[in-house]
Amino acid sequence: MEVQTSTKANTRGRINCKSKSDYRAAKNLMMHGLYFLCGMVICRGTLMGELAPFGASYTASVPKKHMLWAIAGTALGYIILTPSNSFRYLAVVGAIGCMRWMLSDIKKISQSRLFACLLAFITVLVTGLVLSFAQSSTTAVTYTVIEACLAGAAAFFLKLSTDMYYSKRTLKSFSQQEMASLVMTGCILILSLGSVTVQNVSLGRIAAVLIILICARYGYVTGGSISAIATGSIFSLSSSAMTFLCGAYAFGGLMAGLFAGVGKAACAFAFTLCSTIMTFTCGDSKVIVSLFIETLIACGVFMLLPKQLGNFVSAVFLPGESSKGSEALKHNVVMRLDFASKAMEGVSDCVNKVSDKLKKLYSPTMDWVYENVRCDVCEKCGLKVYCWEKQKGVTKDDFSRLTHVLKNEGKVSADAIDVIFTKKCCKQGEIAESINYNYREYLSCQEAQRRVTGVRSVVAGQFSGLSTILKDMSKEFDSYITYDTDSSQRVEEFLQYSGLEVKECSCVLDKNGRMTAEIQLAQNWKDKIRPAVLTHEISKCCGRRFDSPCITKLGDTVRIVFSEIPYYDVQVGSAQHICNNGKLCGDSLNYFSNGFGSMVALISDGMGTGGRAAVDGNMAVSVMTRLCKAGLSYDCALQVVNSALMVKSEDESLATLDIADINLFTGRVNLFKAGAPLTYIKKNGSVIKKQSQSLPVGILTDVRFSYDSIGLSAGDWIVMITDGALFTEDMWLVSLIKSWEEGDPETLASKIVAESANRRSKEHDDDITALVIKILDNE
């Protein structure tokens, strides 16, 4: 027995399991440390001089796996901060940790977005009221309620921002509410850094000025004003001595935005001049000098920032291009495509109806055979008056009784005519010869009609396939929300600057805010730029993080499709056993990224074994792969593959198709089967069988996929096999998949193929293929 194996690392080129484990361990340790440090810093943010609720908000909002480190950092920060009631805050942090631990198994509560908000609000309120009642102070009660509301609001913003970070989406895909949450979270962090000072120079205020300058430079008046008002307001609330900062930052941000078009230097100078003038209203020379030094430091850092930063920041503040014209064009295109689809579908129905009608009118029958015999023989007979004129009905019955003999023996003899006819005929030999000749013509016409009908059904199917293509294009256009013309222009300018011949370039956003960039270049593009460099530069132009592209060659053009880096990744392994250790395997497989955030795996099993099966299987996989990469839907591509197998030769050709489409953004796996066997899914430690009834391609003109779907997450497995792997029952396979934990997909695929081959006898050997996929977090 010989087993052939092949594997690819995950779609982004990971190396091996050991290095991955080391990488994840190092990353987890780094994230623990980061949450610890954030806890130490964020609890230092104070409002009204003495309220420090943000540590409690932070503890309530961090992910559970980092909670202990966050609690430790926050507790240490409160101890170092030593406010007048730091022990109260330590009690709040401890209470939040205990409540989260006790309620962690109740998913409806612990996973609610309001859980962190309510937890921070209640714990801060209860502990504050206890102390307030002990002191019998009405003012303390008011401050406690204010602090509890601030803690709850901050927890809400921190929780939402944390979820946005782990969603791995880009700035352009965030809604206005989400952007507001990010701004508030940033203000809380900046306020916390405000207490970190060196000779009265605040690190937090330096960060605030730097953010204002960046937003003003790339967001102009809108960006400068919004960022300045937000940061100035938060620092004004920190202490009564800093209330003037709101006006100073707001005026400086406004003027910096007005001069942003002149350049960085003008933007920085305008802010420095205007904010410094406003700071003189405080009347404290030490504060004025400190704020001036902070502004100079921020301006120096601002001047050193790379220009590419603007691609990410400008998209947040710049007003979007009026989309009325593009939306009208989109709806017009969708409408026309949908109408053309229905028209082509009508053409297909019309062709079939006309064909059926003509077949009924003009198809040869046995009456046609006998009519030709009458014209050829009987019309020349002088005795026809006794048979065709006086007793026509009896004569027709005599001829009709010959049909049974013709269909059974393929011909008639003069003796058979003498026996079957009720009257004696003097031209038995001539009639027999004419009947046999015309019957052969009848059979030839029937065969020709059968062939024409087959070809016609294929052609009619192509009309239907074209209708499906137009319908799919209509749905695809309709699913896109907007066309990012600015990003498309930047990409095209970069490609032309790099010396590449750009034929087409478009950047579109779907309903989830994810961008897809599609480019068509000349064939020699790799001579001028490497794919990795191209991916990096296109990402910068669009302000997105794109994954490795899907590249398809179409004649003298190369189609390159970029999609954003998804949340999940995959690791794939495969193995094959060739029947009787031959040279050609009747099974064929492939897996690839379709350029739209999905990984596609497909297997085809050609009929039988050996060369012919290998041709059918490889043809089905190669055509399906090419069409899917070109953007056709699976149902539409199936019709083309089916037609290709039916017309490629006169011999019967058929093959199964088994497709798994894994959406790496959502984890949703769509399974498409045409005559394929079971697919095994390992989800949360349990093995699920996915099977549905369908026919292989290449048999009937009207073939359809059976469809199934399931949601998966990191750590789940998909096992695809051909029917050669299941010679007996499959309990051993279920047990093997269920017990498989640490091994890689290639090893599992090899074990499945080896065990399947061992269970088959030599007399009943067959081609065996296994394709194993493991879902991973895309780190």
Side-chain angles (χ1 to χ4, degrees), residues 359-424:
K359 184 176 180 180
K360 292 179 180 178
L361 292 175
Y362 300 107
S363 294
T365 62
M366 290 304 296
D367 290 337
W368 172 83
V369 173
Y370 301 139
E371 181 63 22
N372 286 345
V373 173
R374 186 185 71 81
C375 294
D376 294 341
V377 179
C378 298
E379 281 293 324
K380 302 174 184 178
C381 179
L383 299 177
K384 64 180 180 180
V385 65
Y386 296 105
C387 49
W388 283 105
E389 294 181 6
K390 290 186 177 182
Q391 296 183 342
K392 184 176 181 180
V394 176
T395 306
K396 281 188 174 183
D397 291 339
D398 290 341
F399 275 99
S400 297
R401 285 193 292 272
L402 293 173
T403 303
H404 180 72
V405 178
L406 283 170
K407 290 184 176 181
N408 288 336
E409 300 180 7
K411 63 179 181 178
V412 296
S413 62
D415 294 337
I417 292 175
D418 185 49
V419 173
I420 294 174
F421 276 23
T422 56
K423 289 189 174 184
K424 191 72 173 178

Side-chain angles (χ1 to χ4, degrees), residues 267-515:
C267 183
F269 178 77
F271 179 86
T272 304
L273 179 62
C274 297
S275 62
T276 303
I277 292 174
M278 291 293 294
T279 57
F280 278 93
T281 60
C282 75
D284 189 336
S285 59
K286 291 184 178 180
V287 174
I288 295 173
V289 172
S290 299
L291 292 174
F292 183 70
I293 294 173
E294 293 165 1
T295 303
L296 290 180
I297 295 174
C299 289
V301 176
F302 172 67
M303 296 300 295
L304 298 175
L305 293 176
K307 182 180 179 181
Q308 288 80 1
L309 182 64
N311 293 337
F312 293 90
V313 180
S314 60
V316 180
F317 296 104
L318 287 179
E321 182 182 351
S322 177
S323 59
K324 291 184 178 179
S326 61
E327 283 296 311
L329 178 61
K330 184 187 81 170
H331 289 305
N332 184 264
V333 171
V334 169
M335 180 183 66
R336 291 194 175 196
L337 287 173
D338 187 58
F339 184 79
S341 170
K342 293 177 181 178
M344 292 305 301
E345 190 174 357
V347 170
S348 176
D349 294 338
C350 181
V351 169
N352 287 327
K353 289 179 180 179
V354 171
S355 173
D356 293 340
K357 189 68 175 177
L358 291 175
K359 184 176 180 180
K360 292 179 180 178
L361 292 175
Y362 300 107
S363 294
T365 62
M366 290 304 296
D367 290 337
W368 172 83
V369 173
Y370 301 139
E371 181 63 22
N372 286 345
V373 173
R374 186 185 71 81
C375 294
D376 294 341
V377 179
C378 298
E379 281 293 324
K380 302 174 184 178
C381 179
L383 299 177
K384 64 180 180 180
V385 65
Y386 296 105
C387 49
W388 283 105
E389 294 181 6
K390 290 186 177 182
Q391 296 183 342
K392 184 176 181 180
V394 176
T395 306
K396 281 188 174 183
D397 291 339
D398 290 341
F399 275 99
S400 297
R401 285 193 292 272
L402 293 173
T403 303
H404 180 72
V405 178
L406 283 170
K407 290 184 176 181
N408 288 336
E409 300 180 7
K411 63 179 181 178
V412 296
S413 62
D415 294 337
I417 292 175
D418 185 49
V419 173
I420 294 174
F421 276 23
T422 56
K423 289 189 174 184
K424 191 72 173 178
C425 180
C426 61
K427 294 185 178 290
Q428 296 175 356
E430 295 179 37
I431 288 178
E433 183 179 349
S434 180
I435 287 176
N436 292 334
Y437 171 78
N438 283 282
Y439 185 67
R440 288 193 297 270
E441 290 294 315
Y442 164 78
L443 294 179
S444 298
C445 290
Q446 290 283 359
E447 179 64 20
Q449 182 122 34
R450 186 186 66 81
R451 290 173 178 265
V452 170
T453 300
V455 173
R456 184 166 50 238
S457 63
V458 172
V459 174
Q462 295 310 302
F463 283 119
S464 178
L466 182 57
S467 169
T468 306
I469 292 175
L470 294 173
K471 188 180 297 182
D472 291 340
M473 291 176 65
S474 173
K475 291 181 180 179
E476 183 178 350
F477 275 116
D478 198 33
S479 67
Y480 291 138
I481 301 299
T482 55
Y483 292 82
D484 194 333
T485 54
D486 292 336
S487 296
S488 300
Q489 185 177 357
R490 287 195 295 267
V491 171
E492 189 167 356
E493 289 175 353
F494 163 75
L495 294 173
Q496 291 175 347
Y497 177 78
S498 302
L500 297 172
E501 180 184 349
V502 184
K503 297 186 177 182
E504 293 290 342
C505 177
S506 66
C507 299
V508 294
L509 298 170
D510 62 14
K511 61 183 179 182
N512 297 311
R514 293 192 286 263
M515 178 179 285

Side-chain angles (χ1 to χ4, degrees), residues 85-160:
N85 54 356
S86 61
F87 287 105
R88 173 206 165 198
Y89 289 120
L90 291 175
V92 169
V93 171
I96 290 175
C98 292
M99 291 292 292
R100 290 192 61 183
W101 179 75
M102 288 188 297
L103 298 175
S104 61
D105 292 334
I106 307 176
K107 301 298 183 183
K108 290 185 177 180
I109 296 177
S110 61
Q111 293 182 358
S112 172
R113 186 171 292 179
L114 295 177
F115 175 65
C117 173
L118 293 174
L119 189 59
F121 174 81
I122 292 172
T123 52
V124 172
L125 180 66
V126 170
T127 55
L129 289 177
V130 170
L131 293 178
S132 299
F133 290 145
Q135 297 173 0
S136 301
S137 172
T138 306
T139 304
V141 172
T142 304
Y143 271 76
T144 297
V145 174
I146 293 174
E147 185 180 28
C149 292
L150 290 172
F156 176 81
F157 293 130
L158 289 169
K159 173 63 175 174
L160 184 57

Side-chain angles (χ1 to χ4, degrees), residues 665-708:
F665 286 102
T666 63
R668 173 64 57 178
V669 178
N670 296 320
L671 302 174
F672 302 87
K673 293 183 178 292
L678 294 88
T679 294
Y680 296 85
I681 307 290
K682 182 179 179 182
K683 179 178 181 179
N684 298 328
S686 300
V687 178
I688 304 170
K689 300 179 184 179
K690 292 291 184 179
Q691 185 179 21
S692 51
Q693 300 297 324
S694 58
L695 292 174
V697 293
I699 302 177
L700 302 176
T701 55
D702 185 18
V703 62
R704 299 181 185 276
F705 276 124
S706 60
Y707 170 80
D708 205 342

